[in-house]
């Protein structure tokens, strides 16, 4: 197994029960589909819908889900929010507005930590998302254990449902996998260059520049050399990159250094 294959397998390992996503009276099938796609991106599969305006199933939702068919195929539809959350142990209500309902208010990262903690004990957690036009009402928020709100600009706080689902799903997976990424640069295939190789490249470059009198005036040479070396040091060059740069320098050394005449430029 390659190193990247192992990394991908590690990124799939989630030891917490994924939360359910509950959409309360969504109006557009497209929004249901894009929410399903956001869920699938981060490993959530339990999508519940309360009284979708245009009914269910929805071909518009399936098309917008962009191949997240496993989420769409398992959608559950309910007549009430109470029925949709009945089997859950802990529920978050997402809202961008201050409420009169006295509940703890969490950011998406704090909510994710709580969801993962409960999910690791195989307890069922859910996030409720409200309608496109006005979100959740106070009675619906009252059914939740805590409120989740995102760190948005208070002057433009409204998010599309799928955007809100995406943020919460991302934070959950980032916490559940401890930030595991699906791939990284394989350092075994691209090892960093040794200092000896980098210094030899510097000497090669500086020698080529000396031959075309790049360092002018001569007394500025030490400062210009330091500047060039600092530029390349910031790049953390690999062995392959140093070889490529040496090849570029060698190719340029074979070019004619006489500046072209004006007529030649036009030709």
């Amino acid at each position: 197994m390659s190193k990247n294959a192992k990394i991908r397998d590690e990124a799939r390992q989630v030891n917490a029960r994924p939360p359910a996503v509950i959409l309360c009276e969504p109006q557009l099938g497209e929004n249901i589909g894009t929410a399903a796609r956001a869920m699938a991106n981060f490993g959530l599969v339990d999508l519940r819908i309360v009284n979708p305006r245009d009914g269910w199933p929805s071909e518009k939702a399936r098309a917008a889900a962009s191949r997240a068919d496993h989420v769409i195929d398992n959608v559950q539809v309910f007549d009430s929010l109470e029925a949709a959350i009945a089997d859950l142990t802990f529920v978050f209500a997402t809202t961008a507005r201050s409420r009169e309902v006295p509940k703890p208010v969490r950011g998406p990262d704090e909510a994710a930590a709580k969801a993962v903690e409960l999910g690791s004990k195989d307890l069922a957690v859910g996030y409720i998302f409200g309608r496109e036009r006005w979100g959740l009402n106070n009675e619906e928020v009252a059914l939740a254990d805590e409120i989740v709100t995102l760190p948005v600009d208070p002057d433009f706080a409204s998010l599309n449902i799928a955007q809100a689902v995406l943020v919460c799903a991302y934070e959950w997976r980032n916490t559940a996998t401890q930030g595991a990424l699906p791939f990284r640069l394989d350092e075994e295939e691209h090892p960093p260059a040794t200092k000896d190789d980098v210094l030899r490249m510097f000497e090669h470059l500086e020698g080529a520049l000396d031959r075309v009198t790049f360092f002018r005036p001569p007394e500025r040479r030490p400062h210009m050399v330091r500047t060039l070396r600092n530029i390349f040091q910031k790049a953390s060059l690999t062995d392959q990159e140093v070889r490529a740069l040496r090849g570029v320098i060698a190719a340029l050394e074979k070019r004619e250094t006489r500046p072209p005449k004006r007529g030649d430029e036009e030709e």
Side-chain angles (χ1 to χ4, degrees):
M1 180 183 294
S2 70
K3 185 174 181 181
N4 269 332
K6 183 178 180 182
I7 289 173
R8 285 194 297 272
D9 284 345
E10 290 174 352
R12 293 188 183 99
Q13 299 301 315
V14 177
N15 296 318
R17 181 173 177 174
V21 170
I22 304 101
L23 305 185
C24 190
E25 298 185 353
Q27 294 174 282
L28 299 175
E30 291 88 344
N31 285 337
I32 299 172
T34 51
R37 179 179 181 177
M39 291 172 60
N41 285 145
F42 297 103
L44 307 188
V45 295
D46 187 355
L47 176 58
R48 308 177 182 194
I49 308 173
V50 179
N51 292 326
R53 186 191 68 180
D54 295 337
W56 194 262
S58 167
E59 288 306 313
K60 290 182 178 179
R62 185 175 295 277
S66 188
R67 299 189 301 279
D69 293 329
H70 61 294
V71 179
I72 295 295
D73 290 340
N74 291 298
V75 163
Q76 300 178 71
V77 181
F78 296 88
D79 294 329
S80 68
L81 180 58
E82 289 85 348
I85 64 174
D87 64 325
L88 302 179
T89 302
F90 196 94
V91 177
F92 296 101
T94 63
T95 180
R97 293 181 284 115
S98 178
R99 301 286 181 163
E100 298 176 357
V101 183
K103 292 185 183 297
V105 178
R106 308 294 183 197
D109 52 341
E110 297 173 302
K114 181 75 172 182
V116 170
E117 177 189 353
L118 294 171
S120 65
K121 301 173 184 176
D122 200 31
L123 298 176
V125 177
Y127 287 77
I128 307 172
F129 297 85
R131 303 156 189 83
E132 290 92 331
R133 293 183 62 186
W134 68 87
L136 298 169
N137 59 42
N138 284 345
E139 288 72 23
E140 290 160 344
V141 172
L143 295 173
D145 296 280
E146 294 184 353
I147 291 172
V148 178
T149 194
L150 308 186
V152 294
D153 184 339
D155 296 326
F156 197 77
S158 177
L159 271 75
N160 175 275
I161 292 176
Q163 293 172 327
V165 171
L166 184 76
V167 172
C168 292
Y170 162 79
E171 290 289 358
W172 175 83
R173 188 171 189 86
N174 190 49
T175 302
T177 64
Q178 298 181 337
L181 299 176
F183 71 91
R184 290 184 183 275
L185 177 65
D186 193 336
E187 293 185 357
E188 293 178 2
E189 295 179 10
H190 305 282
T194 66
K195 290 300 180 184
D196 182 60
D197 286 339
V198 173
L199 289 173
R200 288 177 181 274
M201 185 203 72
F202 288 157
E203 293 168 357
H204 187 181
L205 173 62
E206 291 152 15
L209 293 175
D210 279 330
R211 285 188 286 278
V212 295
T213 63
F214 172 81
F215 299 111
R216 295 191 300 267
E219 58 269 21
R220 292 280 296 165
R221 187 184 189 281
H223 173 75
M224 297 172 77
V225 164
R226 283 196 301 272
T227 299
L228 289 171
R229 292 191 175 196
N230 281 333
I231 291 171
F232 286 108
Q233 290 284 19
K234 291 176 183 178
S236 300
L237 297 170
T238 66
D239 180 64
Q240 180 182 357
E241 289 167 341
V242 167
R243 290 198 303 271
L245 286 170
R246 292 289 297 269
V248 170
I249 299 166
L252 292 175
E253 285 179 311
K254 297 175 184 178
R255 292 181 55 183
E256 185 175 337
T257 58
R258 176 181 62 85
K261 295 179 181 179
R262 189 170 188 81
D264 294 337
E265 289 179 338
E266 292 174 352
E267 292 175 2

